[in-house]
Amino acid sequence: MHNTKVYIETYGCQMNVADSEIVMGILKNHGYDITSDINAADVILLNTCSVRDNAEQRIYGRLTNLKYNKTQKPGLVLGILGCMAERLRKELIEDKKIVDLVVGPDEYRKLPAYIDVAFNGGKGIGVQLSRTETYEEIIPYREDGLQAWISVMRGCDKFCTYCVVPFTRGRERSRKLGSIVDEVLQLSDRGFREVTLLGQNVNSYYDELHDFSDLLAACAEVDNGMRVRFTTSHPQDFSDKLLYTIAEHKNICNYIHLPVQSGSNRILDLMNRSYTVEHYLQIIEKAKKIIPGVTFSTDLIAGFPTETVEDQNMTLELMKAVEYDGAYMFKYSPREGTKAFKMEDDVPEEVKGARLQEIIDLQLDISLKINRNLIGKRDTVLVEGFSKKSDKFLAGRTDTNKLVIFESVNGFKPGDYVELEIYKATSATLFGTVV
Ligand code: SAH
Ligand code: SF4
Ligand code: F3S
């Protein structure tokens, strides 16, 4: 008898990527083997996302494919983890007979027990949310590499009216600072060069003793050759102390992902975002003053209920005012159980599409302009590996998270810091030469 082999596929945000590593850590501790070969697996797990309808449709599509795997291998256990498991619960098993396990984000410790239930022909369902679970002492299973995600807090208490996350992830709770610093230290010893601290509202981190600025400073001080990033910040909890902490530590990246969602105060209010455009722009102003060279990215939603052309134009104006390096842009998707679900989804699909396209086009223009302004300037990248297109070129990222391609010379290798001069730019990529 070989050890039971588990294959896991991850969808959704980086929190899910980090959670999959926790799941693999738990399973390894229980004697399971992790495999990257789906055909060798005795257990297939999908760690899923519910944030928009199309995220869930992808999983239904995937389940249809996996029916075949089950007919090929009777006894194969198929499990749904993550936000869809939490949102749909036993409905998922009733609807999709091929699903054996439905385990939500706060029940992963019991996964080995649920897998046993499934091997014995039962269905394993674990969807309780917890006010305290942080998987603090679980060592995530990570391949060696340069970059790691570290989940520092879980859940969300913001209840934006469009969003399922507070329902799928439960209440906010933070890990103790010490456990996070230890994890950074272990990663540094293993040769990692970059960590990203993760939370749905990472800057509302609070462990009863330390706030997010304290945590960020403590992580940065572990190894000053290691870059520290963080995501996602909410404008409401963005303190001056945080800005000064970023400015004071060279290895905390000067890059802030600060979702704004809309440029219209009326829509922001309907979304329950708890800030105004004016307040948001003040944070941006202050950040630019305190952290020279700081850059921003954002999330935007097109076509929220009642959104008018005027609201859309305010969003475009805001984008021009901030000049984001990049943006994640979405069409509004009604989610059952949220407050906005009760509002009429009154922006027609083709209008939503057209507005989204307008936002995307503007962002491409802005990104291109920002990148072209960098031609002739110098910046340091952390080398990540060969470029996608050729082994003669390396790819690295600047502190501000921009991808730079450059010719592989002087034996530079992944993990090195290299100073480059930029000579060419597209909206997505920079090209540099070693100085
Ligand atoms: N906690 C983070 C990220 C939440 S999910 C934050 O507050 O910013 C990532 C993004 O998905 C959100 O920022 C939002 O832009 C988008 N999103 C969430 N719910 C959505 C919905 N129902 N329809 C469309 N986009 C949505
Ligand atoms: Fe969702 Fe808002 Fe929480 Fe972000 S802050 S996860 S958008 S409810
Ligand atoms: Fe999706 Fe859940 Fe993340 S809904 S965006 S996987 S928190």
Side-chain angles (χ1 to χ4, degrees):
M1 246 306 266
H2 68 77
N3 281 347
T4 306
K5 289 198 170 75
V6 182
Y7 168 90
I8 182 162
E9 213 164 80
T10 306
Y11 297 81
C13 65
Q14 286 104 352
M15 297 289 298
N16 261 9
V17 176
D19 277 4
S20 288
E21 294 175 343
I22 288 168
V23 165
M24 289 189 278
I26 291 170
L27 294 175
K28 279 223 107 179
N29 288 342
H30 280 78
Y32 291 84
D33 285 343
I34 307 299
T35 178
S36 54
D37 175 8
I38 193 166
N39 296 313
D42 307 298
V43 180
I44 296 176
L45 301 173
L46 306 183
N47 193 2
T48 62
C49 175
S50 280
V51 79
R52 282 168 293 278
D53 185 56
N54 55 14
E56 292 194 349
Q57 294 312 322
R58 252 184 102 189
I59 299 298
Y60 288 127
R62 190 69 183 116
L63 285 177
T64 308
N65 299 144
L66 291 174
K67 251 188 204 155
Y68 173 79
N69 299 53
K70 268 201 106 147
T71 51
Q72 292 298 98
K73 194 175 194 173
L76 176 71
V77 166
L78 181 58
I80 301 289
L81 313 181
C83 291
M84 245 176 116
E86 194 59 50
R87 195 178 87 77
L88 298 166
R89 306 184 162 203
K90 65 176 192 305
E91 211 180 287
L92 255 178
I93 285 184
E94 288 158 4
D95 272 15
K96 303 282 160 191
K97 300 277 183 296
I98 60 161
V99 174
D100 305 299
L101 296 174
V102 174
V103 183
D106 287 347
E107 293 255 56
Y108 295 149
R109 284 179 201 265
K110 293 195 199 136
L111 197 52
Y114 291 128
I115 292 175
D116 284 344
V117 169
F119 275 134
N120 290 316
K123 300 277 182 186
I125 306 180
V127 290
Q128 281 278 85
L129 287 171
S130 159
R131 288 180 175 271
T132 52
E133 179 62 274
T134 61
Y135 303 107
E136 183 163 272
E137 84 303 346
I138 304 275
I139 299 172
Y141 172 81
R142 294 187 179 99
E143 305 280 332
D144 284 329
L146 291 176
Q147 193 274 345
W149 308 104
I150 304 184
S151 158
V152 304
M153 56 89 68
R154 301 178 70 84
C156 178
D157 290 347
K158 290 287 189 286
F159 288 94
C160 302
T161 56
Y162 49 81
C163 186
V164 291
V165 172
F167 305 99
T168 62
R169 292 276 171 172
R171 300 287 62 76
E172 271 181 29
R173 65 216 101 115
S174 299
R175 277 171 69 179
K176 292 269 173 288
L177 178 138
S179 80
I180 299 162
V181 169
D182 284 349
E183 195 170 336
V184 176
L185 189 59
Q186 285 170 24
L187 289 166
S188 161
D189 289 344
R190 268 178 74 184
F192 280 78
R193 289 342 266 141
E194 185 175 301
V195 292
T196 306
L197 308 185
L198 292 178
Q200 286 300 350
N201 285 293
V202 77
N203 54 332
S204 55
Y205 172 91
Y206 184 63
D207 77 349
E208 253 90 63
L209 222 54
H210 311 94
D211 65 14
F212 185 61
S213 305
D214 301 331
L215 175 68
L216 206 50
C219 290
E221 281 151 23
V222 169
D223 172 353
N224 60 17
M226 196 164 183
R227 281 179 171 174
V228 182
R229 300 185 185 280
F230 56 98
T231 199
T232 296
S233 305
H234 192 292
Q236 187 189 314
D237 305 312
F238 216 93
S239 66
D240 290 2
K241 181 178 170 193
L242 179 51
L243 294 174
Y244 286 109
T245 304
I246 300 170
E248 280 159 17
H249 293 83
K250 227 181 136 245
N251 57 328
I252 302 178
C253 290
N254 295 343
Y255 170 78
I256 303 171
H257 181 59
L258 197 62
V260 69
Q261 314 298 358
S262 168
S264 155
N265 283 335
R266 190 182 66 82
I267 297 291
L268 287 175
D269 188 43
L270 288 175
M271 288 175 162
N272 190 33
R273 285 296 288 181
S274 72
Y275 52 84
T276 60
V277 170
E278 292 70 27
H279 174 77
Y280 183 90
L281 287 172
Q282 259 174 23
I283 302 173
I284 301 277
E285 279 298 298
K286 240 193 253 168
K288 284 181 176 167
K289 238 179 253 156
I290 295 171
I291 313 166
V294 68
T295 64
F296 301 93
S297 60
T298 201
D299 293 350
L300 293 160
I301 298 176
F304 189 78
T306 78
E307 188 187 74
T308 62
V309 177
E310 286 74 35
D311 297 317
Q312 162 80 355
N313 287 339
M314 289 187 236
T315 298
L316 300 175
E317 286 312 310
L318 178 80
M319 292 170 70
K320 289 180 200 157
V322 179
E323 297 204 307
Y324 294 106
D325 267 34
Y328 298 91
M329 301 158 281
F330 313 103
K331 270 194 269 186
Y332 170 66
S333 168
R335 309 307 288 134
E336 205 176 338
T338 62
K339 258 194 166 171
F341 193 72
K342 299 194 192 84
M343 306 175 194
E344 196 192 337
D345 181 21
D346 60 354
V347 179
E349 186 57 29
E350 52 297 357
V351 176
K352 272 187 204 170
R355 287 185 190 162
L356 177 64
Q357 195 55 51
E358 201 177 15
I359 288 172
I360 292 171
D361 290 343
L362 174 60
Q363 185 52 48
L364 284 175
D365 284 351
I366 293 171
S367 298
L368 182 62
K369 181 181 147 196
I370 290 176
N371 285 352
R372 281 201 178 138
N373 278 336
L374 293 172
I375 293 174
K377 300 222 166 84
R378 290 178 178 194
D379 208 341
T380 302
V381 298
L382 174 61
V383 181
E384 291 183 348
F386 290 116
S387 90
K388 273 191 207 131
K389 291 190 184 135
S390 156
D391 283 2
K392 291 200 176 94
F393 289 85
L394 290 168
R397 258 173 220 281
T398 65
D399 175 317
T400 56
N401 213 21
K402 288 181 195 298
L403 192 69
V404 192
I405 309 293
F406 64 100
E407 200 175 343
S408 165
V409 290
N410 306 351
F412 286 128
K413 56 184 192 312
D416 289 342
Y417 287 99
V418 179
E419 201 187 355
L420 300 174
E421 184 168 311
I422 307 303
Y423 68 88
K424 197 173 102 181
T426 69
S427 61
T429 315
L430 299 168
F431 298 84
T433 44
V434 177
V435 293

